[in-house]
């Protein structure tokens, strides 16, 4: 996205009326535009080459890890809700020694 933005900026500079008035400015902007297009082409090729290998690696490594993290979070949330309901139950009961001990626990 960054190299695409740089190409857009260089194209916008080329269409600037100042380029028509100043040959030196036109030469600099043309060189800049050429460099940005080369950089974008290089980046796109690199992304295409790495895309297949990295996407497979991504699906093999990252997605299962995310699924496990979501499962752990869901389990922890269920445990928290279960324990929270126990706490609320003990808080509603009469304040006796065993109830206070369980509440503290």
């Amino acid at each position: 996205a960054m190299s695409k933005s740089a190409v857009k900026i260089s194209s916008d500079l080329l269409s600037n009326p100042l380029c028509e008035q100043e040959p030196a400015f036109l030469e600099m902007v043309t060189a800049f535009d050429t460099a940005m297009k080369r950089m974008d082409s290089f980046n796109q090729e690199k992304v295409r080459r790495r895309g297949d290998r990295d996407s497979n690696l991504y699906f093999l490594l990252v997605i299962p890890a995310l699924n496990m993290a979501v499962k752990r979070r869901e389990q922890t949330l269920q445990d928290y809700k279960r324990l929270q309901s126990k706490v609320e139950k003990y808080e509603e009961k009469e304040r006796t020694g065993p109830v206070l001990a369980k509440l503290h626990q």
Side-chain angles (χ1 to χ4, degrees), residues 2-3 30 64 66:
M2 247 170 50
S3 62
T30 303
L66 289 174

Side-chain angles (χ1 to χ4, degrees), residues 25-91:
F25 184 65
L26 175 61
E27 188 179 328
M28 285 189 308
V29 171
T30 303
F32 177 68
D33 185 55
T34 303
M36 292 304 104
K37 286 180 179 173
R38 282 182 176 170
M39 180 185 68
D40 183 51
S41 176
F42 175 77
N43 287 340
Q44 293 303 317
E45 181 60 31
K46 191 173 182 180
V47 166
R48 273 194 297 275
R49 250 187 277 133
R50 292 184 72 211
D52 294 337
R53 182 187 62 196
D54 287 349
S55 63
N56 290 339
L57 184 63
Y58 177 79
F59 284 111
L60 290 174
L61 298 177
V62 176
I63 298 296
L66 289 174
N67 286 337
M68 288 301 296
V70 168
K71 287 178 184 176
R72 281 193 311 267
R73 183 192 179 281
E74 287 298 319
Q75 183 62 44
T76 303
L77 185 59
Q78 288 176 2
D79 292 345
Y80 172 79
K81 286 179 179 179
R82 180 178 50 80
L83 293 171
Q84 183 64 30
S85 68
K86 275 187 172 182
V87 167
E88 289 170 359
K89 183 178 78 173
Y90 285 125
E91 285 176 343

Side-chain angles (χ1 to χ4, degrees), residues 86-104:
K86 275 187 172 182
V87 167
E88 289 170 359
K89 183 178 78 173
Y90 285 125
E91 285 176 343
E92 291 173 359
K93 289 187 175 186
E94 185 179 332
R95 300 262 182 201
T96 61
V99 170
L100 288 174
K102 286 183 181 179
L103 184 59
H104 178 74

